[in-house]
């Protein structure tokens, strides 16, 4: 495997008891590549992305993350390997999961201070710089419940970035946000992509995926149904399943049989 | 009313003893309870089964029977505990049985999303518990812990049965000496009310403080 592959996922299968969440998914993510995973709810996208930093164990297959290997069905990896992976792979959650008892600044400082034993002053400078970069310098001393959803998610992204990750995972980072706050979070992600960060994100923002992602992966019914360059997959899906999904998402009114004309999408749709 | 004047000092001494024993027992059972709750949640199946079994025995046996086994039962094996030691040991063992479940529920309530966030940052389980989960769990558990504290104060009323000179003991002694049960038990009731209402009020103040600081 060439060293420009950051995450190499081979034949991943995950079951919850008798139910198969997803099956036989393979995906290679190169360094600085941006991969968007899209698909209907319940397709197993969130569970899949959580396997990459082993928040969920999996049953078959293997994942190589930054040179360290996770194997399905085997005993869990050693705590040292897990921490090693998790300190290099950051994650932002759909529900933000900020620590409510700490300020925005405290949230961003905690990871480096605990997991990397970084001195407080250094962690504070770093956290402040990260918060400033996403326009939250003034909110540094606010507790999460005083922050809007968009602010909370930006703090959560800073919290992950404070660990200097090589790969960032985003699990539907904007789906809990009010529409007017989606933009500020997407902007922060867009900037990360511009800086060459390796990104894997589960998202329902098709336009954003088309603009920022290099690769789009469509998951449906627990399978990877299509994968390719973002624009190609989103504009000219090759499989029926991907086409059905994209039609429903991109033309919701028409799909319901509404007499309204389909929403104009731009691009070269017929 | 001279009975009140005569007995209030011994009642107060009994109350002080009750409070002292409760404080020691609750402090120890809270520390052990946190550790046992963590053991039950993260320590593997065997440890979880042992802790669950312990909790079931403590909750399943009548309190007086537990106390008598410790004080009288053990003496048959030449383990002769003083009334104070036996009473304290029982309060601790009984308290652990309750504290485990309070902490387990509190930790579990916080752990799901917050534990994942701590894990995802590469923090160890101990770091996650200490820095993320327990500071939040305390807040959630505060009302249950106050109820637990008051319960343990009430449980000290049983200790007179093995000869601990607590409020109850003094009230019974006073009743036999004066034949004034209404006054003696009335004084005991006032003493317990003062203790428990004070504790509840303090708990309420603490809860509001914590709420306000969040």
């Amino acid at each position: 495997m060439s060293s420009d592959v950051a995450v190499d996922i081979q034949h991943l299968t995950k079951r919850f008891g008798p139910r198969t969440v997803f099956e036989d998914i393979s995906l290679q993510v190169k360094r600085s590549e941006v991969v968007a995973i899209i698909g209907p709810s319940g397709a197993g996208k969130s569970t899949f992305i959580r396997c990459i930093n082993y928040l969920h164990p999996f049953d078959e297959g293997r994942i190589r993350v930054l040179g360290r290997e996770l194997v399905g069905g085997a005993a869990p990896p050693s705590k040292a390997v897990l921490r090693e992976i998790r300190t290099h792979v950051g994650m932002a959650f759909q529900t933000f999961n900020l620590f409510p008892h700490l300020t925005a600044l405290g949230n961003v400082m905690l990871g480096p201070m605990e997991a990397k034993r970084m001195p407080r002053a250094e962690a504070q400078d770093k956290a402040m710089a990260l918060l400033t970069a996403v326009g939250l310098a003034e909110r540094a001393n606010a507790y999460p419940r005083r922050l809007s959803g968009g602010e909370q998610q930006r703090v959560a992204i800073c919290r992950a970035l404070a660990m200097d990750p090589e790969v960032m995972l985003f699990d539907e980072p904007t789906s809990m946000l009010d529409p007017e706050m989606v933009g500020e979070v997407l902007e922060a992600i867009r900037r990360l992509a511009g800086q060459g960060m390796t990104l894997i994100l589960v998202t329902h923002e098709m336009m954003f995926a088309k603009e920022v992602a290099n690769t789009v992966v469509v998951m449906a019914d627990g399978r990877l149904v299509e994968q390719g360059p973002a624009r190609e997959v989103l504009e000219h899906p090759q499989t029926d399943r991907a086409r059905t999904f994209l039609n429903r998402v991109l033309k919701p009114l028409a799909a319901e049989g509404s007499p309204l004309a389909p929403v104009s999408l731009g691009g070269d749709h017929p | 009313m001279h009975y009140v004047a005569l007995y209030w000092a011994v009642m107060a001494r009994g109350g002080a003893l009750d409070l002292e024993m409760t404080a020691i027992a609750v402090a120890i059972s809270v520390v052990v309870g946190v550790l046992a709750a963590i053991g039950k949640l993260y320590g593997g199946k065997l440890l979880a089964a042992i802790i669950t079994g312990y909790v079931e025995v403590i909750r399943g046996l009548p309190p007086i029977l537990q106390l008598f086994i410790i004080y009288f039962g053990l003496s048959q094996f030449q383990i002769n505990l003083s009334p104070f030691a036996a009473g304290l040991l029982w309060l601790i063992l009984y308290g652990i049985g309750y504290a485990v479940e309070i902490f387990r529920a509190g930790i579990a309530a916080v752990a799901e999303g917050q534990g994942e966030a701590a894990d995802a940052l590469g923090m160890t389980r101990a770091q996650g518990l200490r820095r993320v989960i327990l500071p939040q769990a305390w807040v959630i558990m505060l009302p249950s812990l106050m109820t637990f504290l008051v319960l343990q104060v009430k449980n000290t009323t049983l200790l007179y049965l093995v000869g601990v000179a607590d409020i109850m003991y003094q009230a019974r002694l006073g009743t036999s000496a004066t034949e004034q049960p209404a006054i003696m038990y009335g004084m005991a009731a006032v003493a317990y009310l003062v203790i428990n209402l004070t504790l509840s009020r303090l708990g309420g103040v603490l809860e509001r403080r914590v709420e306000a600081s969040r």
Side-chain angles (χ1 to χ4, degrees), chain A residues 188-238:
Chain A
I189 301 173
R190 183 186 288 121
R191 201 169 43 241
L192 273 181
Q195 292 162 356
M197 174 72 78
T198 310
L199 298 181
I200 304 175
L201 75 154
V202 173
T203 186
H204 293 293
E205 303 288 338
M206 300 300 152
M207 291 300 131
F208 182 72
K210 183 148 70 174
E211 177 207 329
V212 175
N214 309 111
T215 303
V216 162
V217 171
V218 184
M219 278 178 74
D221 315 319
R223 294 185 168 276
L224 193 161
V225 295
E226 189 159 337
Q227 165 177 9
R231 206 160 259 282
E232 268 176 46
V233 172
L234 290 168
E235 291 179 0
H236 306 288
Q238 299 300 306

Side-chain angles (χ1 to χ4, degrees), chain A residues 50 98-99 101 114 145, chain B residues 114 116 119 127 131 214:
Chain A
R50 279 154 187 262
L98 285 182
F99 305 132
H101 60 301
E114 292 292 318
R145 67 182 180 132
Chain B
Q114 293 288 304
E116 265 191 346
D119 285 349
Q127 287 169 338
R131 299 286 178 215
R214 290 175 86 198

Side-chain angles (χ1 to χ4, degrees), chain B:
Chain B
M1 287 314 281
H2 77 282
Y3 292 116
V4 175
L6 204 60
Y7 274 89
W8 78 267
V10 285
M11 289 283 182
R13 220 178 308 135
L17 185 63
D18 278 336
L19 273 179
E20 181 194 349
M21 295 180 79
T22 305
I24 298 172
V26 167
I28 294 175
S29 48
V30 161
V31 172
V32 179
V34 172
L35 295 176
I38 292 168
K40 184 172 173 178
L41 285 167
Y42 305 115
K45 281 186 183 147
L46 180 65
L47 191 56
I50 292 170
I51 294 165
T52 305
Y54 178 81
V55 171
E56 279 170 0
V57 168
I58 291 291
R59 296 205 165 185
L61 291 179
I64 295 178
L65 179 57
Q66 297 176 22
L67 179 61
F68 279 17
I69 288 173
I70 291 170
Y71 185 69
F72 299 111
L74 289 183
S75 70
Q76 209 181 340
F77 302 98
Q78 319 314 320
I79 302 171
N80 294 302
L81 298 172
S82 70
F84 180 85
L88 191 60
L89 181 60
W90 171 65
L91 282 176
I92 291 169
L93 294 178
Y94 187 83
I96 290 169
Y98 272 80
V100 172
E101 279 306 302
I102 294 175
F103 284 105
R104 190 203 53 74
I107 292 170
V110 176
E112 200 174 318
Q114 293 288 304
E116 265 191 346
D119 285 349
L121 284 171
M123 289 163 69
T124 63
R125 173 136 294 151
Q127 287 169 338
L129 278 166
R130 209 155 50 96
R131 299 286 178 215
V132 174
I133 294 172
L134 286 177
Q136 297 177 62
W138 282 115
V139 180
I140 295 176
M141 293 179 310
L142 209 49
S144 322
L145 285 174
M146 290 315 299
T147 309
F148 169 60
L149 188 58
V150 169
L151 172 80
Q152 286 292 64
V153 172
K154 289 187 201 160
N155 276 336
T156 59
T157 52
L158 294 177
L159 302 182
Y160 83 92
L161 288 165
V162 297
V164 173
D166 77 328
I167 297 176
M168 206 52 201
Y169 181 92
Q170 305 294 1
R172 280 183 63 85
L173 222 59
T175 301
S176 353
T178 63
E179 293 180 357
Q180 297 287 338
I183 291 176
M184 291 301 142
Y185 291 123
M187 285 173 74
V190 170
Y192 278 114
L193 274 178
V194 168
I195 292 173
N196 281 340
L197 291 183
T198 306
L199 288 175
S200 298
R201 290 285 141 73
L202 284 176
V205 170
L206 198 59
E207 278 167 42
R208 276 193 297 281
R209 280 250 177 117
V210 168
E211 276 303 319
S213 73
R214 290 175 86 198

